[in-house]
Amino acid sequence: GQLLDAGNTTTLSHYLKLLDTAGLLAGLEKFSTNEISKRASSPKFQVHNTALISAQREDKFKTVQTKPNEWGRMVESAIGAYLINQSFIDGFSIHYWREGNDEVDFVLKKGDKVIGLEVKSGSSLSGGGMIAFKKRFNPDRILLIGDVGLPWQEFLRISPGSLF
């Protein structure tokens, strides 16, 4: 069968909810003011615990750190896992945003307040997504997490709820 059939989409959505409830894998919804756009978008998968990623890796931690793309995905996953776990405590929702080539890794929403978070673990800085997001949604705050902005290690020490 086709995975795009309505029944299969419903089944996959149900499985994703089960994985989320079990604390394994979440499907972050796209941030949008348009409800149809939210529902039509594929979720961004995010683990609740990065051990689920690193347990499957053959590379050692030090080796992954020397590979910028892989290290970047690991840092982004660590930030995402931290946000998911903190969202239960601080009472905010987590989304992602993407339009064409522009993206913001995480969008936090609590009440009417919106915060955009972009994770960059390397020295390369491409702020196109952050600029586009700011123009489109006028968030209360945008934060760059990484070597150029707030160090990711420091971000993991703060309560994301304090950003609101």
PDB file of all heavy atoms in Angstrom, residues 76-94:
ATOM      1  N   GLU A  76      22.215  19.573  18.074  1.00  0.00           N
ATOM      2  CA  GLU A  76      20.812  19.954  17.869  1.00  0.00           C
ATOM      3  C   GLU A  76      19.878  18.960  18.553  1.00  0.00           C
ATOM      4  O   GLU A  76      18.887  19.345  19.186  1.00  0.00           O
ATOM      5  CB  GLU A  76      20.492  20.042  16.380  1.00  0.00           C
ATOM      6  CG  GLU A  76      19.084  20.515  16.112  1.00  0.00           C
ATOM      7  CD  GLU A  76      18.754  20.635  14.636  1.00  0.00           C
ATOM      8  OE1 GLU A  76      19.658  20.940  13.823  1.00  0.00           O
ATOM      9  OE2 GLU A  76      17.575  20.427  14.292  1.00  0.00           O
ATOM     10  N   SER A  77      20.183  17.676  18.469  1.00  0.00           N
ATOM     11  CA  SER A  77      19.362  16.656  19.128  1.00  0.00           C
ATOM     12  C   SER A  77      19.413  16.801  20.648  1.00  0.00           C
ATOM     13  O   SER A  77      18.397  16.611  21.326  1.00  0.00           O
ATOM     14  CB  SER A  77      19.817  15.254  18.731  1.00  0.00           C
ATOM     15  OG  SER A  77      19.513  15.014  17.383  1.00  0.00           O
ATOM     16  N   ALA A  78      20.582  17.129  21.176  1.00  0.00           N
ATOM     17  CA  ALA A  78      20.709  17.316  22.627  1.00  0.00           C
ATOM     18  C   ALA A  78      19.877  18.516  23.092  1.00  0.00           C
ATOM     19  O   ALA A  78      19.181  18.440  24.115  1.00  0.00           O
ATOM     20  CB  ALA A  78      22.179  17.503  23.010  1.00  0.00           C
ATOM     21  N   ILE A  79      19.927  19.599  22.336  1.00  0.00           N
ATOM     22  CA  ILE A  79      19.128  20.784  22.674  1.00  0.00           C
ATOM     23  C   ILE A  79      17.637  20.438  22.580  1.00  0.00           C
ATOM     24  O   ILE A  79      16.851  20.775  23.464  1.00  0.00           O
ATOM     25  CB  ILE A  79      19.461  21.972  21.739  1.00  0.00           C
ATOM     26  CG1 ILE A  79      20.920  22.417  21.915  1.00  0.00           C
ATOM     27  CG2 ILE A  79      18.488  23.130  21.948  1.00  0.00           C
ATOM     28  CD1 ILE A  79      21.262  23.019  23.246  1.00  0.00           C
ATOM     29  N   GLY A  80      17.245  19.736  21.525  1.00  0.00           N
ATOM     30  CA  GLY A  80      15.847  19.345  21.350  1.00  0.00           C
ATOM     31  C   GLY A  80      15.352  18.444  22.465  1.00  0.00           C
ATOM     32  O   GLY A  80      14.243  18.624  22.989  1.00  0.00           O
ATOM     33  N   ALA A  81      16.164  17.468  22.857  1.00  0.00           N
ATOM     34  CA  ALA A  81      15.783  16.563  23.948  1.00  0.00           C
ATOM     35  C   ALA A  81      15.621  17.341  25.250  1.00  0.00           C
ATOM     36  O   ALA A  81      14.668  17.122  26.008  1.00  0.00           O
ATOM     37  CB  ALA A  81      16.824  15.452  24.105  1.00  0.00           C
ATOM     38  N   TYR A  82      16.532  18.273  25.483  1.00  0.00           N
ATOM     39  CA  TYR A  82      16.453  19.098  26.681  1.00  0.00           C
ATOM     40  C   TYR A  82      15.168  19.932  26.676  1.00  0.00           C
ATOM     41  O   TYR A  82      14.454  20.017  27.686  1.00  0.00           O
ATOM     42  CB  TYR A  82      17.686  19.996  26.769  1.00  0.00           C
ATOM     43  CG  TYR A  82      17.697  20.906  27.965  1.00  0.00           C
ATOM     44  CD1 TYR A  82      17.772  20.396  29.257  1.00  0.00           C
ATOM     45  CD2 TYR A  82      17.633  22.288  27.809  1.00  0.00           C
ATOM     46  CE1 TYR A  82      17.788  21.228  30.354  1.00  0.00           C
ATOM     47  CE2 TYR A  82      17.653  23.131  28.898  1.00  0.00           C
ATOM     48  CZ  TYR A  82      17.724  22.599  30.167  1.00  0.00           C
ATOM     49  OH  TYR A  82      17.728  23.427  31.257  1.00  0.00           O
ATOM     50  N   LEU A  83      14.855  20.513  25.523  1.00  0.00           N
ATOM     51  CA  LEU A  83      13.646  21.332  25.418  1.00  0.00           C
ATOM     52  C   LEU A  83      12.382  20.506  25.644  1.00  0.00           C
ATOM     53  O   LEU A  83      11.460  20.942  26.339  1.00  0.00           O
ATOM     54  CB  LEU A  83      13.589  22.020  24.053  1.00  0.00           C
ATOM     55  CG  LEU A  83      14.605  23.132  23.827  1.00  0.00           C
ATOM     56  CD1 LEU A  83      14.605  23.568  22.363  1.00  0.00           C
ATOM     57  CD2 LEU A  83      14.331  24.310  24.754  1.00  0.00           C
ATOM     58  N   ILE A  84      12.332  19.317  25.053  1.00  0.00           N
ATOM     59  CA  ILE A  84      11.153  18.463  25.243  1.00  0.00           C
ATOM     60  C   ILE A  84      10.957  18.160  26.723  1.00  0.00           C
ATOM     61  O   ILE A  84       9.850  18.287  27.257  1.00  0.00           O
ATOM     62  CB  ILE A  84      11.276  17.147  24.442  1.00  0.00           C
ATOM     63  CG1 ILE A  84      11.007  17.415  22.977  1.00  0.00           C
ATOM     64  CG2 ILE A  84      10.305  16.094  24.968  1.00  0.00           C
ATOM     65  CD1 ILE A  84      11.157  16.199  22.100  1.00  0.00           C
ATOM     66  N   ASN A  85      12.002  17.759  27.389  1.00  0.00           N
ATOM     67  CA  ASN A  85      11.890  17.413  28.799  1.00  0.00           C
ATOM     68  C   ASN A  85      11.545  18.620  29.667  1.00  0.00           C
ATOM     69  O   ASN A  85      10.740  18.521  30.589  1.00  0.00           O
ATOM     70  CB  ASN A  85      13.163  16.712  29.275  1.00  0.00           C
ATOM     71  CG  ASN A  85      13.295  15.342  28.636  1.00  0.00           C
ATOM     72  OD1 ASN A  85      12.439  14.485  28.805  1.00  0.00           O
ATOM     73  ND2 ASN A  85      14.348  15.136  27.860  1.00  0.00           N
ATOM     74  N   GLN A  86      12.112  19.770  29.357  1.00  0.00           N
ATOM     75  CA  GLN A  86      11.813  20.991  30.116  1.00  0.00           C
ATOM     76  C   GLN A  86      10.410  21.527  29.827  1.00  0.00           C
ATOM     77  O   GLN A  86       9.823  22.205  30.656  1.00  0.00           O
ATOM     78  CB  GLN A  86      12.858  22.065  29.833  1.00  0.00           C
ATOM     79  CG  GLN A  86      14.198  21.802  30.482  1.00  0.00           C
ATOM     80  CD  GLN A  86      14.120  21.793  31.995  1.00  0.00           C
ATOM     81  OE1 GLN A  86      14.439  20.799  32.629  1.00  0.00           O
ATOM     82  NE2 GLN A  86      13.692  22.885  32.586  1.00  0.00           N
ATOM     83  N   SER A  87       9.880  21.219  28.643  1.00  0.00           N
ATOM     84  CA  SER A  87       8.554  21.736  28.292  1.00  0.00           C
ATOM     85  C   SER A  87       7.483  21.215  29.244  1.00  0.00           C
ATOM     86  O   SER A  87       6.496  21.898  29.515  1.00  0.00           O
ATOM     87  CB  SER A  87       8.203  21.388  26.840  1.00  0.00           C
ATOM     88  OG  SER A  87       7.937  20.007  26.686  1.00  0.00           O
ATOM     89  N   PHE A  88       7.672  20.017  29.762  1.00  0.00           N
ATOM     90  CA  PHE A  88       6.720  19.457  30.729  1.00  0.00           C
ATOM     91  C   PHE A  88       6.758  20.239  32.043  1.00  0.00           C
ATOM     92  O   PHE A  88       5.741  20.408  32.706  1.00  0.00           O
ATOM     93  CB  PHE A  88       7.013  17.976  30.994  1.00  0.00           C
ATOM     94  CG  PHE A  88       6.862  17.109  29.780  1.00  0.00           C
ATOM     95  CD1 PHE A  88       7.963  16.489  29.215  1.00  0.00           C
ATOM     96  CD2 PHE A  88       5.621  16.922  29.182  1.00  0.00           C
ATOM     97  CE1 PHE A  88       7.827  15.684  28.087  1.00  0.00           C
ATOM     98  CE2 PHE A  88       5.476  16.122  28.060  1.00  0.00           C
ATOM     99  CZ  PHE A  88       6.586  15.507  27.514  1.00  0.00           C
ATOM    100  N   ILE A  89       7.930  20.702  32.407  1.00  0.00           N
ATOM    101  CA  ILE A  89       8.106  21.444  33.661  1.00  0.00           C
ATOM    102  C   ILE A  89       7.667  22.895  33.503  1.00  0.00           C
ATOM    103  O   ILE A  89       6.946  23.431  34.341  1.00  0.00           O
ATOM    104  CB  ILE A  89       9.591  21.391  34.110  1.00  0.00           C
ATOM    105  CG1 ILE A  89       9.996  19.954  34.398  1.00  0.00           C
ATOM    106  CG2 ILE A  89       9.843  22.286  35.320  1.00  0.00           C
ATOM    107  CD1 ILE A  89      11.489  19.738  34.529  1.00  0.00           C
ATOM    108  N   ASP A  90       8.114  23.529  32.407  1.00  0.00           N
ATOM    109  CA  ASP A  90       7.896  24.964  32.220  1.00  0.00           C
ATOM    110  C   ASP A  90       6.606  25.308  31.473  1.00  0.00           C
ATOM    111  O   ASP A  90       6.257  26.478  31.355  1.00  0.00           O
ATOM    112  CB  ASP A  90       9.090  25.586  31.484  1.00  0.00           C
ATOM    113  CG  ASP A  90      10.375  25.532  32.314  1.00  0.00           C
ATOM    114  OD1 ASP A  90      10.282  25.480  33.549  1.00  0.00           O
ATOM    115  OD2 ASP A  90      11.465  25.549  31.711  1.00  0.00           O
ATOM    116  N   GLY A  91       5.918  24.316  30.914  1.00  0.00           N
ATOM    117  CA  GLY A  91       4.629  24.552  30.284  1.00  0.00           C
ATOM    118  C   GLY A  91       4.657  25.318  28.975  1.00  0.00           C
ATOM    119  O   GLY A  91       3.798  26.173  28.739  1.00  0.00           O
ATOM    120  N   PHE A  92       5.613  25.028  28.103  1.00  0.00           N
ATOM    121  CA  PHE A  92       5.626  25.644  26.777  1.00  0.00           C
ATOM    122  C   PHE A  92       5.533  24.549  25.725  1.00  0.00           C
ATOM    123  O   PHE A  92       5.775  23.379  26.000  1.00  0.00           O
ATOM    124  CB  PHE A  92       6.877  26.518  26.560  1.00  0.00           C
ATOM    125  CG  PHE A  92       8.188  25.788  26.727  1.00  0.00           C
ATOM    126  CD1 PHE A  92       8.747  25.081  25.674  1.00  0.00           C
ATOM    127  CD2 PHE A  92       8.869  25.830  27.931  1.00  0.00           C
ATOM    128  CE1 PHE A  92       9.957  24.415  25.824  1.00  0.00           C
ATOM    129  CE2 PHE A  92      10.084  25.172  28.090  1.00  0.00           C
ATOM    130  CZ  PHE A  92      10.625  24.459  27.033  1.00  0.00           C
ATOM    131  N   SER A  93       5.150  24.934  24.521  1.00  0.00           N
ATOM    132  CA  SER A  93       5.109  23.968  23.417  1.00  0.00           C
ATOM    133  C   SER A  93       6.323  24.193  22.521  1.00  0.00           C
ATOM    134  O   SER A  93       6.881  25.292  22.468  1.00  0.00           O
ATOM    135  CB  SER A  93       3.810  24.096  22.616  1.00  0.00           C
ATOM    136  OG  SER A  93       3.682  25.397  22.077  1.00  0.00           O
ATOM    137  N   ILE A  94       6.727  23.146  21.820  1.00  0.00           N
ATOM    138  CA  ILE A  94       7.911  23.189  20.953  1.00  0.00           C
ATOM    139  C   ILE A  94       7.487  22.871  19.528  1.00  0.00           C
ATOM    140  O   ILE A  94       6.746  21.910  19.287  1.00  0.00           O
ATOM    141  CB  ILE A  94       8.971  22.157  21.370  1.00  0.00           C
ATOM    142  CG1 ILE A  94       9.260  22.252  22.853  1.00  0.00           C
ATOM    143  CG2 ILE A  94      10.250  22.344  20.561  1.00  0.00           C
ATOM    144  CD1 ILE A  94      10.007  21.057  23.370  1.00  0.00           C
TER     145      ILE A  94
END
